[in-house]
Amino acid sequence: MKHREGTLAGWQGVSLYYQSWHPDEPSQAVVVLIHGLGGHSNVFQNAVEYLVPQGYEVYAFDLRGHGRSAEQRGHINAWAEFREDLRLFLRFVRSQRTSCPIILWGHSLGGTIVLDYVLRSPDEIQGLIVTAPALGKVSVSPIKLAIGQLMSRIAPRFSLRLGIHNYAGSRNPEVVEAYRRDPLRHEYGSARLATEYFSTVRWIDRHAFELKIPLLILHGSSDRVTLPEGSRIFFQQVIFPDKEHREYPGSYHDLFVDTDYELVFSDLENWLKRHLIGTKTCQPLMTEA
């Protein structure tokens, strides 16, 4: 497995940290991973170690305000910043590969980001995976949400700890402890991020019927961060026939590091195989190192 990392210029020149992982043999598709609020691209290491040996290239970047990327922790001025950062990252990925299907996988807030993106730019992506998408009620205090709504207009950078506990991510105590020790994770969300998030969720809800690419939604039934009800409702609103929804009994928020992650990966891999039948291996545009 080859690992590469670097920075690229996001929307309005913001420095974004990215990583990519490549199999030793020719790959059959690229999976682009978008993490959730407070996370960073390293959280997907389990997924990388599963997907790359199966013949997939994996690309991920730290959202602005997260991990090793620039800007205030957990803040955006407008949702378009997330959208345009993703657009520029996908352009970068495409510049590395040609004739290569791109599968977009968003987790939690990343699920919201990718759904908004694909509904606006459906022709760029060949398949969409969302795990535990933030599409409805979230486990943030109503009082904090109300403060965020109030402060968004007068002090949009005003930030609060969200109060989402590490143990809500996984039933594996080793994972919870790793979260606690991770210096790249954060627990903050700004007032403007909150109002932009809720506005975007309402827009996605109104346009769900327009989704026209293969969709896989995975959610844990015991998710206390983004409630599984949001996934169920969104799935019912999608009229495109190539859609699947799986809910894992007892699973927590971060399915890719929860105790039954191998079952999740098996379901994901089966979905990928069915949707990549007949595709050619990826061809590089740049000289391989």
Side-chain angles (χ1 to χ4, degrees):
M1 181 190 304
K2 300 174 184 176
H3 175 242
R4 298 170 184 157
E5 61 183 334
T7 59
L8 57 89
W11 180 244
Q12 296 180 331
V14 170
S15 177
L16 302 176
Y17 171 82
Y18 75 88
Q19 303 185 73
S20 63
W21 298 263
H22 308 260
D24 296 326
E25 301 298 325
S27 50
Q28 57 182 323
V30 169
V31 179
V32 175
L33 304 176
I34 309 298
H35 66 80
L37 182 63
H40 52 86
S41 54
N42 280 3
V43 303
F44 292 112
Q45 193 59 42
N46 264 17
V48 169
E49 292 175 2
Y50 185 88
L51 289 171
V52 175
Q54 304 294 326
Y56 300 97
E57 296 185 28
V58 177
Y59 284 76
F61 74 100
D62 295 357
L63 297 171
R64 63 174 59 213
H66 291 76
R68 285 156 285 197
S69 291
E71 295 297 286
Q72 177 184 326
R73 303 295 87 174
H75 173 70
I76 54 170
N77 297 295
W79 192 267
E81 294 174 349
F82 281 153
R83 186 186 311 129
E84 294 306 314
D85 284 346
L86 178 53
R87 187 183 308 280
L88 290 169
F89 186 63
L90 289 172
R91 182 183 299 172
F92 166 75
V93 172
R94 184 61 76 188
S95 75
Q96 310 297 299
R97 321 303 290 164
T98 183
S99 303
C100 192
I102 292 181
I103 307 296
L104 193 52
W105 174 0
H107 176 68
S108 195
L109 182 69
T112 316
I113 292 170
V114 300
L115 284 168
D116 168 76
Y117 184 85
V118 169
L119 282 166
R120 299 173 188 272
S121 305
D123 298 332
E124 299 180 22
I125 304 299
Q126 283 67 59
L128 183 63
I129 301 166
V130 287
T131 51
L135 290 174
K137 294 181 180 179
V138 292
S139 64
V140 177
S141 161
I143 295 176
K144 290 184 178 181
L145 292 175
I147 292 173
Q149 294 277 351
L150 175 65
M151 299 297 289
S152 180
R153 294 183 180 180
I154 58 176
R157 291 183 177 271
F158 176 79
S159 187
L160 286 171
R161 285 182 179 270
L162 298 178
I164 299 175
H165 299 291
N166 289 328
Y167 58 73
S170 174
R171 293 167 289 178
N172 185 335
E174 294 181 1
V175 170
V176 175
E177 178 61 16
Y179 280 0
R180 189 183 71 81
R181 294 175 176 272
D182 187 348
L184 293 178
R185 294 181 68 87
H186 72 79
E187 304 175 22
Y188 293 92
S190 72
R192 180 59 53 80
L193 173 61
T195 55
E196 289 292 296
Y197 162 72
F198 285 111
S199 176
T200 301
V201 168
R202 288 192 295 270
W203 186 90
I204 290 172
D205 183 66
R206 293 195 302 270
H207 293 268
F209 71 95
E210 298 176 8
L211 191 70
K212 295 293 191 296
I213 66 171
L215 170 68
L216 175 65
I217 301 179
L218 307 177
H219 216 132
S221 71
S222 297
D223 189 340
R224 291 170 288 174
V225 179
T226 60
L227 302 188
E229 173 188 350
S231 284
R232 298 180 203 135
I233 293 172
F234 178 79
F235 182 77
Q236 293 170 358
Q237 293 172 322
V238 175
I239 60 176
F240 188 63
D242 191 349
K243 62 175 186 174
E244 294 183 37
H245 173 246
R246 294 180 181 271
E247 193 168 298
Y248 298 90
S251 291
Y252 282 15
H253 182 63
D254 293 335
L255 292 169
F256 45 87
V257 288
D258 204 4
T259 53
D260 54 358
Y261 74 89
E262 291 179 338
L263 172 60
V264 174
F265 286 165
S266 177
D267 290 341
L268 189 147
E269 168 66 4
N270 289 333
W271 183 87
L272 285 170
K273 286 181 176 178
R274 291 197 305 272
H275 289 85
L276 293 171
I277 292 175
T279 59
K280 299 179 180 179
T281 56
C282 303
Q283 300 298 318
L285 278 177
M286 297 179 63
T287 303
E288 295 288 342

